[in-house]
């Protein structure tokens, strides 16, 4: 009798728990959706890879079933996914008031618990100003010749090879340039290869978060540990042998760390360095690979882009001083190509925030403490805003100045966390495209894929063959 009683009690308890899992407590009406299986939610469906340029099937299917705002559960965490432009804009505008930056624990493990994306308030603003000091307009003007020289040399090198895998080649190029600027890192004179550790890290980013030896996620964490160990050793070496004059970002951070009442810690400084290295080369190389692929598939766009850069060279005359800031700023069609590339490629497919209190919006209530995922692809591929949204059409940006985020364009984030490296990315893309169309000819020899999840994407296998172009 007692066995039956306790058995019934256990069944009732489990049934009640499952009911609560599927129907969370809310002081209002939750957005429609499904919380998936207990413990894992809909994590498996979320991480399912997709190779199309369209909205990820996970999001698209739920938009069709539930509408532009729906709930789900990822890695045991309740999440509201927003494909609604008004809610997205509201979230960005209320950063620090009703919402704060948040990422799943698995992402925090990968990028560090003190990474800039997980910090708030004064500390975030402090780090943002530090980065702006590095990637602000005045610094970029000084970097322009080096960016052009690097791109020209790499294109010349690639033209002597049978083919290049473009994503890997551009990632290496940008990593070397950025690592030199940040930490004066020179791979040829280093006993360890810092870039290899980032490669192991990146390959596990879109994997299921299972930290067991042999899994991609485990290799991702190990890659981070090795990269962080190298960065720490470099920082300690610099501290032991300080330079007379500040020459890179490491010097700047050491100066901050040594101030009497500094709020910067070594852990935060190293996590910032790790994120800057990752974000600068990974996102930009993805954008460049996408741009070259789109140009290869659209000869009319390529012809117009080439014409713009040939005019720049002709206006310069016989002098060959290299690109000037004025010439960079004159690249109107190039910026249209960049805008269209990042709109269609959706470099950051998901942006996470967390509610600081109950949020009431369009008849729904998002409970305090829930995560919210803004979904830029759903905005960028919205046919109500963009005619034929899957078509690569830079002319749609003619006469449009894009200096920040809007309800219909958020390729570089939005609100107070608008990407501080946006101009650096545009400089690298514009200069590379300038060198590419004026110094080289290319043809794709292997298509490759861009593997996507709603939160991440990773391109691979796009090979091109380059030849040097005669001087204009």
């Amino acid at each position: 009798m007692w066995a039956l009683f306790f058995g019934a009690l256990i069944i009732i308890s489990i049934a009640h728990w499952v009911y609560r899992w599927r129907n969370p407590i809310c002081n209002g009406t939750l957005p429609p959706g499904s919380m998936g299986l207990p413990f894992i939610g809909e994590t498996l469906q979320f991480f399912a890879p997709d190779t199309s340029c369209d909205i990820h099937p996970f999001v698209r299917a739920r938009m069709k079933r539930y509408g532009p705002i729906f709930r789900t559960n990822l890695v045991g965490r309740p999440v509201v996914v927003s494909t609604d432009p008004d809610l997205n804009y509201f979230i960005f505008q209320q950063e620090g008031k009703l919402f704060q930056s948040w990422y799943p624990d698995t992402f925090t493990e990968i990028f560090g618990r003190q990474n800039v994306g997980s910090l708030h308030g004064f500390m975030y603003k402090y780090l943002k100003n530090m980065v702006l000091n590095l990637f602000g307009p005045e610094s970029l003007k000084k970097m322009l010749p080096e960016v052009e020289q690097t791109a020209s040399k790499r294109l010349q090198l690639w033209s002597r090879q049978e083919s290049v895998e473009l994503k890997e080649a551009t990632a290496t190029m940008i990593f070397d340039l950025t690592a030199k600027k940040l930490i004066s890192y020179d791979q040829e004179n280093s006993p360890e290869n810092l870039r290899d550790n980032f490669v192991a890290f990146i390959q596990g980013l879109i994997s299921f978060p299972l930290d067991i030896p042999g899994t991609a996620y485990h290799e991702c964490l190990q890659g981070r540990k090795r990269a962080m160990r190298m960065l720490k050793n470099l920082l300690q070496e610099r501290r032991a042998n300080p330079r007379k004059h500040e020459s890179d970002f490491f010097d700047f951070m050491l100066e901050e760390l040594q101030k009497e009442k500094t709020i910067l810690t070594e852990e935060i400084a190293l996590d910032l360095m790790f994120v800057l290295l990752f974000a600068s080369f990974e996102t930009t190389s993805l954008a460049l690979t996408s741009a070259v692929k789109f140009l290869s598939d659209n000869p009319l766009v390529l012809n117009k882009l080439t014409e713009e850069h040939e005019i720049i060279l002709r206006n310069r005359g016989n002098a060959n001083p290299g690109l000037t800031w004025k010439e960079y700023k004159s690249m109107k069609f190039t910026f249209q190509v960049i805008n269209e590339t990042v709109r269609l490629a959706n470099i950051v497919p998901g942006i996470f925030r967390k509610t600081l209190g109950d949020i009431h919006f369009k008849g729904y209530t998002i409970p305090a403490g829930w995560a919210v995922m803004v979904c830029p692809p759903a905005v960028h591929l919205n046919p109500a805003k963009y005619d034929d949204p899957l078509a690569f059409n830079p002319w749609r940006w003619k006469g449009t100045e894009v200096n920040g985020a809007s309800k219909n364009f958020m390729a570089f984030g939005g609100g107070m966390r608008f990407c501080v490296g946006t101009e650096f990315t545009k400089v690298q893309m514009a200069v590379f495209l300038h060198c590419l169309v004026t110094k080289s000819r290319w043809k794709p020899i292997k298509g490759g894929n861009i593997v996507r999840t709603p939160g991440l994407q990773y391109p691979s296998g796009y090979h091109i063959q380059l030849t040097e172009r005669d001087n204009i």
Side-chain angles (χ1 to χ4, degrees):
M1 178 66 73
W2 284 107
L4 289 173
F5 172 77
F6 282 115
L9 186 62
I10 291 171
I11 291 172
I12 292 171
S13 298
I14 292 174
H16 177 73
W17 180 77
V18 170
Y19 175 81
R20 276 286 160 234
W21 174 274
R22 293 179 175 176
N23 301 275
I25 296 174
C26 175
N27 298 320
T29 302
L30 282 171
S34 169
M35 305 306 281
L37 297 172
F39 297 112
I40 66 170
E42 296 186 305
T43 308
L44 295 174
Q45 299 96 311
F46 181 85
F47 278 100
D50 177 57
T51 58
S52 75
C53 280
D54 206 346
I55 301 168
H56 191 276
F58 175 89
V59 176
R60 191 169 64 246
R62 285 155 183 77
M63 287 175 65
K64 185 176 181 180
R65 182 173 181 180
Y66 303 120
I69 304 172
F70 60 87
R71 74 175 189 269
T72 184
N73 188 291
L74 303 175
V75 201
R77 179 90 185 206
V79 179
V80 168
V81 177
S82 171
T83 68
D84 182 277
D86 294 328
L87 178 54
N88 295 342
Y89 187 75
F90 178 71
I91 291 168
F92 289 140
Q93 294 306 306
Q94 295 300 317
E95 172 89 24
K97 301 172 185 176
L98 302 179
F99 300 88
Q100 70 179 24
S101 179
W102 175 89
Y103 283 88
D105 289 341
T106 52
F107 283 58
T108 306
E109 287 293 328
I110 290 172
F111 287 105
R113 297 198 173 274
Q114 296 295 327
N115 80 80
V116 65
S118 300
L119 298 174
H120 313 288
F122 179 76
M123 177 56 80
Y124 171 74
K125 292 177 182 177
Y126 168 74
L127 293 180
K128 182 177 179 179
N129 287 331
M130 284 181 63
V131 178
L132 283 173
N133 182 62
L134 175 71
F135 293 132
E138 293 306 312
S139 294
L140 292 178
K141 288 179 184 178
K142 296 175 183 176
M143 284 183 66
L144 195 63
E146 189 175 6
V147 174
E148 183 183 15
Q149 187 180 52
T150 299
S152 296
K153 285 183 177 179
R154 292 303 171 102
L155 287 167
Q156 196 174 47
L157 174 66
W158 299 343
S159 68
R160 295 195 290 268
Q161 299 175 16
E162 187 174 333
S163 69
V164 292
E165 200 283 291
L166 193 59
K167 169 61 178 61
E168 176 61 22
T170 53
T172 301
M173 175 188 71
I174 297 166
F175 182 87
D176 290 347
L177 177 68
T178 308
K180 182 180 179 181
K181 177 71 175 176
L182 291 175
I183 57 178
S184 299
Y185 174 78
D186 183 357
Q187 181 180 313
E188 294 181 1
N189 298 320
S190 176
E192 289 186 82
N193 191 318
L194 183 60
R195 166 96 171 101
D196 285 350
N197 294 324
F198 275 93
V199 171
F201 168 79
I202 291 162
Q203 289 175 345
L205 277 177
I206 60 171
S207 61
F208 186 79
L210 189 63
D211 187 13
I212 296 176
T215 63
Y217 183 72
H218 178 78
E219 289 303 311
C220 175
L221 293 177
Q222 293 305 307
R224 171 184 160 76
K225 287 179 182 177
R226 291 191 296 269
M228 290 298 290
R229 184 177 66 248
M230 284 189 68
L231 289 174
K232 187 171 184 178
N233 290 340
L234 288 168
L235 183 64
Q236 290 174 344
E237 183 181 320
R238 185 70 61 84
R239 182 181 278 134
N241 301 286
R243 300 180 179 185
K244 291 183 179 180
H245 303 287
E246 183 182 305
S247 63
D248 62 17
F249 199 55
F250 248 171
D251 290 329
F252 181 75
M253 287 203 303
L254 275 174
E255 187 178 311
E256 290 293 308
L257 284 168
Q258 290 165 358
K259 288 182 178 178
E260 189 173 333
K261 294 183 179 180
T262 183
I263 61 172
L264 185 67
T265 67
E266 184 174 301
E267 183 182 7
I268 292 175
L270 289 171
D271 275 344
L272 175 63
M273 192 64 67
F274 181 86
V275 170
L276 287 177
L277 281 168
F278 167 77
S280 62
F281 81 88
E282 181 60 19
T283 55
T284 307
S285 61
L286 197 159
L288 277 176
T289 303
S290 301
V292 173
K293 189 176 189 306
F294 293 146
L295 290 171
S296 300
D297 295 339
N298 296 271
L300 287 178
V301 179
L302 177 57
N303 289 340
K304 177 65 176 176
L305 182 70
T306 303
E307 180 186 345
E308 177 172 84
H309 290 277
E310 288 178 345
I311 289 173
I312 289 174
L313 294 184
R314 283 200 296 269
N315 288 342
R316 191 186 296 168
N318 294 327
N320 188 26
L323 273 173
T324 65
W325 191 253
K326 183 179 180 181
E327 288 173 339
Y328 163 69
K329 284 295 187 180
S330 74
M331 299 175 182
K332 302 298 183 185
F333 189 71
T334 305
F335 293 129
Q336 291 173 217
V337 169
I338 292 172
N339 289 338
E340 184 69 349
T341 295
V342 295
R343 179 196 71 84
L344 195 53
N346 286 299
I347 308 302
V348 181
I351 302 170
F352 289 90
R353 296 291 184 265
K354 183 175 74 172
T355 58
L356 298 176
D358 286 355
I359 304 297
H360 305 283
F361 195 87
K362 292 188 176 181
Y364 297 126
T365 298
I366 307 174
W370 276 41
V372 180
M373 189 186 91
V374 172
C375 185
V379 174
H380 296 157
L381 302 176
N382 182 0
K385 174 59 182 176
Y386 298 101
D387 292 335
D388 196 5
L390 292 175
F392 183 70
N393 177 17
W395 286 277
R396 72 171 87 240
W397 297 97
K398 187 176 181 179
T400 303
E401 289 289 333
V402 180
N403 296 315
S406 67
K407 288 185 180 182
N408 298 301
F409 186 72
M410 52 190 66
F412 299 101
M416 65 180 291
R417 288 183 183 265
F418 184 75
C419 178
V420 293
T422 298
E423 196 62 37
F424 183 46
T425 296
K426 290 181 178 179
V427 165
Q428 290 184 95
M429 290 187 69
V431 172
F432 180 84
L433 292 174
H434 170 78
C435 295
L436 180 66
V437 299
T438 59
K439 298 177 184 293
S440 303
R441 290 286 181 261
W442 77 93
K443 62 179 180 179
I445 58 174
K446 187 177 178 182
N449 290 314
I450 295 181
V451 180
R452 306 170 189 268
T453 73
L456 293 164
Q457 60 179 328
Y458 187 79
S460 63
Y462 187 68
H463 290 76
I464 63 171
Q465 187 177 66
L466 287 117
T467 55
E468 288 190 67
R469 179 183 175 182
D470 293 334
N471 291 332
I472 298 171

